[in-house]
Amino acid sequence: MRLLCHLRGSRVRPFLTLRGGTRFLLSLLAMSLILSASVVRVRDGLPLSASTDYEQSVGMQECRKYFKILAKKLAELPDRCTLKAGKYSINFISSLGVSYMMLCTENYPNVLSFCFLDELQREFITTYNMMKTNTAVRPYCFIEFDNFIQRTKQRYNNPRSLSTKINLADMQTEIRLRPPYQISLSELGSPNGLPHTSLKDYKAPHQRLEPVTLSGIVSFVLSLLCGALNLIRGFHATESLLQNEGEDFSYVIAFFIGTAACLYQCYLFVYCTGWRNMKSFLTFGLICLCNMYLYELRNLWQIFFHVTVGAFSTLQIRIRQPQGKSPDYNV
């Protein structure tokens, strides 16, 4: 495919020549299509919007199963991936807690695939704010976005309708410098949901969390305070145990476990780790158990304070998700 670049200021606008390159692209895209696309929330795989595809072949049905498996594992994968499944390919990009996925035939041009996903991402981010996507509880609650997906899919499936709005040069450079992670079928598992082999614990290098909010800072400080209070009470319980042999040593253990749980909540809030949300819930459960055991040594207000801080910190850990690549549009 021959590309020319028309320079206007600092913007590069590649377009297809009307000679041999267009004929080649027409013949290529005549045999390759974007079949379906969907928008999925990263943290739990909740589908927010999707297009409708009508092909009912066996290969397509298997790809839909892979599609669902990938949607559940988005939090474990990099922000740009490709899966080859027979005659089809699944591509997706993730940004700001939302993933944009597409299914196409295997010979559909890779650069056009990610241009298509990039265009979906741009429109979705400008149409819906992060608060709506984070608080959505129903599947396909943004189904009206399907209209834009269908229009964009038709345009990318018809090379004559592609205009200079897509910046192929920038996307080609970005894919060359940071190619998508290639997921193999053996990594993903069998399409019937039974694991063939475990998925590699792969994460993009230097993965960061979203910026800290004021409520996050407050929860971090309160967790440190609760950890310090547990630590002080633990030392006092140790001194009392050494002076009085009749004291129960299990109280000392409960105080130190409570300290470790509070500090681990601070760690989960600051750093991105695997199974982060599950670890935060287990840590909160441990805080509750420790305070229940220490019922005789604390009054109700103290127990309420420690449990409330633990719940608040757990909520902030869940809200602060891994930071996606923020698109730098129109800058």
Side-chain angles (χ1 to χ4, degrees), residues 93-112:
I93 60 175
S94 300
S95 173
L96 303 177
V98 179
S99 185
Y100 308 86
M101 310 178 68
M102 64 171 288
L103 174 65
C104 61
T105 53
E106 61 176 343
N107 53 355
Y108 192 83
N110 206 32
V111 64
L112 288 182

Side-chain angles (χ1 to χ4, degrees), residues 63-76:
C63 281
R64 291 192 190 100
K65 294 178 182 179
Y66 285 124
F67 217 83
K68 293 179 180 179
I69 296 174
L70 277 174
K72 296 297 183 182
K73 298 179 179 291
L74 289 171
E76 307 172 27

Side-chain angles (χ1 to χ4, degrees), residues 80-152:
R80 180 186 290 144
C81 293
T82 296
L83 171 68
K84 300 291 184 182
K87 297 181 179 180
Y88 305 95
S89 295
I90 299 175
N91 304 306
F92 68 85
I93 60 175
S94 300
S95 173
L96 303 177
V98 179
S99 185
Y100 308 86
M101 310 178 68
M102 64 171 288
L103 174 65
C104 61
T105 53
E106 61 176 343
N107 53 355
Y108 192 83
N110 206 32
V111 64
L112 288 182
S113 298
F114 286 101
C115 281
F116 169 76
L117 294 173
D118 195 61
E119 195 164 333
L120 295 188
Q121 176 184 245
R122 175 179 179 177
E123 180 67 19
F124 192 85
I125 289 176
T126 56
T127 305
Y128 307 102
N129 57 47
M130 290 183 59
M131 182 63 68
K132 288 185 177 181
T133 58
N134 288 333
T135 57
V137 294
R138 294 183 298 105
Y140 305 105
C141 56
F142 303 125
I143 193 61
E144 67 277 2
F145 190 71
D146 172 49
N147 296 327
F148 179 81
I149 296 178
Q150 294 287 7
R151 291 196 306 269
T152 309

Side-chain angles (χ1 to χ4, degrees), residues 18-19 39 57 68 78-79 97 103 111 113 141 159 162 174 203 209 228 251 256 260 278 285 300 307:
L18 297 177
R19 298 181 181 178
V39 181
S57 65
K68 293 179 180 179
D79 61 350
L103 174 65
V111 64
S113 298
C141 56
L162 284 177
E174 189 172 348
K203 283 189 177 292
L209 296 170
Y251 288 139
F256 286 123
M278 182 178 293
L300 291 177
V307 172

